[in-house]
Amino acid sequence: KKPNVAILGATGAVGQEFLKLIAERNFPFNNLKLLASERSAGKQIEVLGKTYTVEEATPDSFNGIDIALFAGGAASKTLAPEAVRRGAIVIDNSSAFRMDPDVPLVVPEVNPEALHSHKGIIANPNCSTIIMVMALKPIHDRAKIKRIVVSTYQAVSGAGKEAIDELTEQVTDILAGRPVQANILPSASLPKHYQIAFNLLPQIDVFLEDGYTKEEMKMVHETHKILNDYSIGITATTIRVPVYRSHSESVNIELASDLSVDETKELLAGFQGVSILDNPAEMEYPMPLFCSDKDDVYVGRIRKDTSVPYGLNLWVVGDQIRKGAALNALQIAEYMIAHQLV
Ligand code: 2RA
């Protein structure tokens, strides 16, 4: 029996990617319900040749729904439990439940076993975490990782459609000699906003007491939970860059035992969902412009870090909207259907 599916946040960047992937992957559904805030209700969206009208999301929207895909945002906190109460499995892209011990935090290629015990809500990890753990899992299984130092170069799409549009407007205004508007980044809810075009913003989400941002601490805590190893030392610096779609990450790791570059390449090449793009002699390496709209996470610039006994440097790029959000959530749903967990 094909599931009845609801998508909450259907009109946003991640919601739109859900619809695109459902069509591309022939995701099985009986009925499809598109939900959004009151502001977006009434919009018509075509999916597989059929036109759907976006409805305002209310608790009763989830009556008869088997799988609810939440694109993210504040509504998750209140609507996820309501959907579960009505019998739905919720795969939530917001950060609301990620650290809840009763909620599996899952990257299907990395820790699918976590899906076998849930209480209705499954959390989709933060995009920058998904992209990093895809590259680290095969390495960690072979040569335990002791420490991770990661710097990210995150696309504006992480801040939603408005941020994507703002980058375009700023470049257009600059080229036309008009004054630049900045109303979205680093985050619409913050008191100050800065130009992202031809700039870098060393703030994603809000600052915590210790000077780290929530985005940086998500990478620390979510990686511990997904790899189920709280002994790994992790520190992160997350930066917003004037790129539309893919997140890039410079990942330095210290291992408990030696792993050569060739062994690392072998491990990564054998891992479902990772592609290697690493041939300096041919100037081949992952770049956001060429990794966008792809399912895989791309790894290159693989080299030893000889400043420590067993160190490695990796350059990892993945499409933040696709594998970083919508595809990962859809793959969770596909896994649960295939394993009769729905
Ligand atoms: C960002 N990871 O990039 C956050 C949310 N997608 O803004």
Side-chain angles (χ1 to χ4, degrees):
K1 168 176 159 312
K2 289 183 179 180
N4 293 323
V5 175
I7 296 177
L8 175 63
T11 56
V14 173
Q16 291 293 300
E17 192 71 13
F18 272 134
L19 297 174
K20 185 175 162 195
L21 288 169
I22 281 172
E24 261 182 40
R25 299 172 70 86
N26 206 6
F27 184 86
F29 64 87
N30 178 28
N31 293 320
L32 180 64
K33 187 178 273 192
L34 305 187
L35 302 169
S37 65
E38 190 202 354
R39 184 164 45 94
S40 305
K43 276 188 184 164
Q44 308 266 313
I45 299 180
E46 190 176 316
V47 181
L48 289 167
K50 190 176 170 196
T51 303
Y52 294 80
T53 304
V54 177
E55 302 170 36
E56 182 188 352
T58 67
D60 282 337
S61 303
F62 299 97
N63 291 333
I65 295 296
D66 302 305
I67 297 176
L69 298 166
F70 282 25
S76 290
K77 195 85 183 146
T78 48
L79 288 177
E82 293 291 352
V84 170
R85 194 170 301 129
R86 290 165 173 76
I89 297 263
V90 175
I91 301 170
D92 178 25
N93 196 41
S94 85
S95 56
F97 305 98
R98 287 180 186 152
M99 303 321 290
D100 183 326
D102 289 336
V103 174
L105 180 65
V106 177
V107 179
E109 298 92 333
V110 175
N111 63 327
E113 66 286 347
L115 287 170
H116 291 262
S117 58
H118 66 82
K119 297 218 166 78
I121 298 175
I122 317 291
N124 208 47
N126 195 39
C127 43
S128 45
T129 306
I130 293 174
I131 291 163
M132 182 171 77
V133 296
M134 283 292 289
L136 295 189
K137 171 66 175 172
I139 296 169
H140 185 55
D141 284 351
R142 169 71 67 81
K144 183 184 168 352
I145 296 173
K146 289 169 56 183
R147 183 170 186 248
I148 302 168
V149 180
V150 55
S151 295
T152 72
Y153 308 78
Q154 301 187 210
V156 295
S157 59
K161 280 170 77 173
E162 298 78 10
I164 297 172
D165 296 341
E166 180 159 270
L167 173 55
T168 307
E169 281 152 29
Q170 288 178 357
V171 173
T172 313
D173 287 344
I174 289 164
L175 294 178
R178 289 191 293 267
V180 174
Q181 300 287 324
N183 302 302
I184 305 288
L185 291 169
S187 174
S189 59
L190 288 168
K192 292 182 182 177
H193 299 104
Y194 301 114
Q195 175 183 325
I196 182 64
F198 310 113
N199 194 19
L200 300 178
L201 303 185
Q203 177 183 2
I204 297 178
D205 208 331
V206 298
F207 280 106
L208 301 166
E209 292 297 303
D210 59 5
Y212 282 82
T213 59
K214 272 191 175 178
E215 187 79 356
E216 285 155 355
M217 295 318 294
K218 282 175 184 175
M219 292 196 80
V220 176
H221 299 310
E222 292 176 20
T223 300
H224 282 150
K225 183 171 176 180
I226 293 164
L227 296 181
N228 192 28
D229 183 339
Y230 294 78
S231 71
I232 305 172
I234 306 176
T235 189
T237 304
T238 60
I239 308 296
R240 187 71 71 192
V241 299
V243 164
Y244 278 126
R245 267 191 77 111
S246 291
H247 285 355
S248 305
E249 305 184 1
S250 174
V251 185
N252 173 274
I253 53 178
E254 191 173 345
L255 304 174
S257 57
D258 195 20
L259 197 62
S260 70
V261 169
D262 286 345
E263 284 169 326
T264 304
K265 288 186 176 179
E266 244 175 76
L267 289 171
L268 291 168
F271 192 74
Q272 174 67 35
V274 169
S275 290
I276 294 179
L277 213 46
D278 191 18
N279 185 350
E282 296 299 322
M283 295 172 60
E284 284 174 12
Y285 30 67
M287 293 179 274
L289 219 45
F290 307 121
C291 295
S292 294
D293 293 309
K294 301 273 193 338
D295 286 359
D296 279 8
V297 165
Y298 291 80
V299 187
R301 302 296 325 278
I302 302 168
R303 55 209 196 281
K304 296 283 266 184
D305 167 13
T306 52
S307 69
V308 292
Y310 307 124
L312 278 173
N313 281 314
L314 308 172
W315 174 252
V316 188
V317 181
D319 184 320
Q320 177 272 336
I321 301 273
R322 207 173 171 104
K323 182 57 183 172
L327 174 63
N328 196 74
L330 219 47
Q331 287 170 323
I332 289 172
E334 288 168 350
Y335 179 96
M336 295 183 82
I337 292 169
H339 292 78
Q340 290 86 40
L341 293 169
V342 176

Coordinates of all heavy atoms in Angstrom, one line a residue, residues 27 89 91 104-108 115 122-125 327-337 342:
F27 N 9.1 8.4 -6.3 CA 8.8 8.0 -4.9 C 7.4 7.6 -4.8 O 6.5 8.3 -5.3 CB 9.1 9.3 -4.0 CG 8.9 9.0 -2.5 CD1 9.9 8.5 -1.8 CD2 7.7 9.3 -1.9 CE1 9.8 8.2 -0.4 CE2 7.5 9.0 -0.5 CZ 8.6 8.5 0.2
I89 N 4.4 9.3 10.4 CA 5.8 9.3 10.7 C 6.3 10.7 10.2 O 6.0 11.1 9.1 CB 6.6 8.2 9.9 CG1 6.1 6.8 10.3 CG2 8.1 8.4 10.1 CD1 6.9 6.1 11.3
I91 N 9.4 13.1 9.2 CA 10.9 13.3 9.0 C 11.1 14.8 8.9 O 10.7 15.5 8.0 CB 11.3 12.6 7.7 CG1 10.9 11.1 7.8 CG2 12.8 12.8 7.4 CD1 11.1 10.3 6.5
P104 N 15.7 9.5 16.5 CA 16.9 9.1 15.7 C 17.3 10.3 14.8 O 16.5 11.0 14.2 CB 16.4 8.0 14.8 CG 15.1 7.5 15.4 CD 14.5 8.7 16.1
L105 N 18.6 10.5 14.7 CA 19.2 11.6 13.9 C 20.0 10.8 12.8 O 21.0 10.2 13.1 CB 20.1 12.5 14.7 CG 20.8 13.6 14.0 CD1 19.8 14.7 13.5 CD2 21.8 14.3 14.9
V106 N 19.5 10.9 11.5 CA 20.0 9.8 10.6 C 20.5 10.3 9.2 O 19.8 11.2 8.6 CB 18.8 8.8 10.3 CG1 19.2 7.8 9.3 CG2 18.4 8.1 11.7
V107 N 21.6 9.8 8.8 CA 22.0 9.8 7.4 C 22.0 8.4 7.0 O 22.8 7.5 7.5 CB 23.5 10.4 7.3 CG1 23.9 10.4 5.8 CG2 23.5 11.8 7.9
P108 N 21.1 8.0 6.1 CA 20.9 6.6 5.8 C 22.1 5.7 5.4 O 22.2 4.6 5.8 CB 19.9 6.6 4.6 CG 19.2 7.9 4.7 CD 20.2 8.9 5.3
L115 N 17.2 3.9 12.7 CA 15.8 4.1 12.3 C 14.9 3.0 12.9 O 13.7 3.1 12.9 CB 15.7 4.1 10.8 CG 16.2 5.3 10.1 CD1 16.3 5.1 8.6 CD2 15.3 6.5 10.4
I122 N 11.6 11.4 13.2 CA 12.9 11.1 12.7 C 13.5 12.5 12.4 O 12.9 13.3 11.7 CB 13.0 10.3 11.5 CG1 12.0 9.1 11.5 CG2 14.4 9.9 11.2 CD1 12.3 8.0 12.5
A123 N 14.7 12.8 12.9 CA 15.3 14.1 12.6 C 16.3 14.0 11.5 O 17.2 13.1 11.4 CB 16.0 14.7 13.9
N124 N 16.2 14.9 10.5 CA 17.2 15.1 9.4 C 18.3 16.0 10.0 O 18.0 17.1 10.5 CB 16.5 15.8 8.2 CG 17.1 15.4 6.9 OD1 17.4 14.2 6.7 ND2 17.4 16.4 6.1
P125 N 19.6 15.6 9.9 CA 20.7 16.4 10.4 C 20.8 17.7 9.7 O 20.3 17.9 8.6 CB 21.9 15.6 10.3 CG 21.4 14.2 10.1 CD 20.1 14.3 9.4
L327 N 17.0 15.3 -0.2 CA 17.4 14.0 -0.6 C 17.6 13.1 0.6 O 17.1 12.0 0.7 CB 18.6 14.0 -1.5 CG 19.1 12.6 -1.9 CD1 18.1 11.8 -2.7 CD2 20.5 12.7 -2.6
N328 N 18.3 13.6 1.6 CA 18.6 12.8 2.8 C 17.3 12.4 3.5 O 17.1 11.2 3.8 CB 19.5 13.5 3.8 CG 20.1 12.6 4.8 OD1 21.0 11.9 4.5 ND2 19.5 12.7 6.0
A329 N 16.3 13.3 3.6 CA 15.0 13.0 4.2 C 14.3 12.0 3.4 O 13.7 11.1 3.9 CB 14.2 14.3 4.4
L330 N 14.3 12.2 2.1 CA 13.6 11.2 1.2 C 14.2 9.8 1.3 O 13.5 8.8 1.3 CB 13.6 11.8 -0.2 CG 12.3 11.6 -1.1 CD1 11.1 12.1 -0.3 CD2 12.4 12.5 -2.3
Q331 N 15.5 9.8 1.4 CA 16.2 8.5 1.5 C 15.8 7.8 2.8 O 15.7 6.6 2.8 CB 17.7 8.7 1.4 CG 18.2 9.0 0.0 CD 19.7 9.4 -0.1 OE1 20.1 10.1 0.9 NE2 20.4 9.1 -1.1
I332 N 15.6 8.6 3.8 CA 15.2 8.0 5.1 C 13.8 7.4 4.9 O 13.6 6.2 5.3 CB 15.1 9.1 6.2 CG1 16.5 9.5 6.6 CG2 14.3 8.6 7.4 CD1 16.6 10.7 7.6
A333 N 12.9 8.1 4.2 CA 11.6 7.6 4.0 C 11.6 6.3 3.1 O 11.0 5.3 3.4 CB 10.7 8.6 3.3
E334 N 12.5 6.3 2.1 CA 12.6 5.1 1.2 C 13.1 3.9 2.0 O 12.6 2.8 1.9 CB 13.6 5.5 0.1 CG 13.0 6.4 -1.0 CD 14.1 6.9 -1.9 OE1 15.3 6.7 -1.7 OE2 13.7 7.6 -2.9
Y335 N 14.1 4.2 2.9 CA 14.7 3.1 3.7 C 13.6 2.5 4.6 O 13.4 1.3 4.7 CB 15.8 3.6 4.6 CG 16.4 2.6 5.5 CD1 17.6 1.9 5.1 CD2 15.9 2.3 6.7 CE1 18.2 0.9 5.9 CE2 16.4 1.3 7.5 CZ 17.6 0.6 7.1 OH 18.1 -0.4 7.9
M336 N 12.8 3.4 5.2 CA 11.7 3.0 6.2 C 10.7 2.2 5.5 O 10.2 1.2 6.0 CB 11.2 4.2 6.9 CG 12.2 4.9 7.8 SD 11.5 6.2 8.8 CE 10.8 5.3 10.2
I337 N 10.3 2.6 4.2 CA 9.3 1.8 3.4 C 9.9 0.5 3.1 O 9.3 -0.6 3.3 CB 8.9 2.6 2.2 CG1 8.2 3.9 2.5 CG2 8.1 1.7 1.2 CD1 8.0 4.9 1.4
V342 N 7.4 1.8 8.2 CA 6.4 2.9 8.2 C 5.1 2.3 8.5 O 4.7 1.2 7.9 CB 6.3 3.5 6.7 CG1 5.2 4.5 6.7 CG2 7.6 4.1 6.4

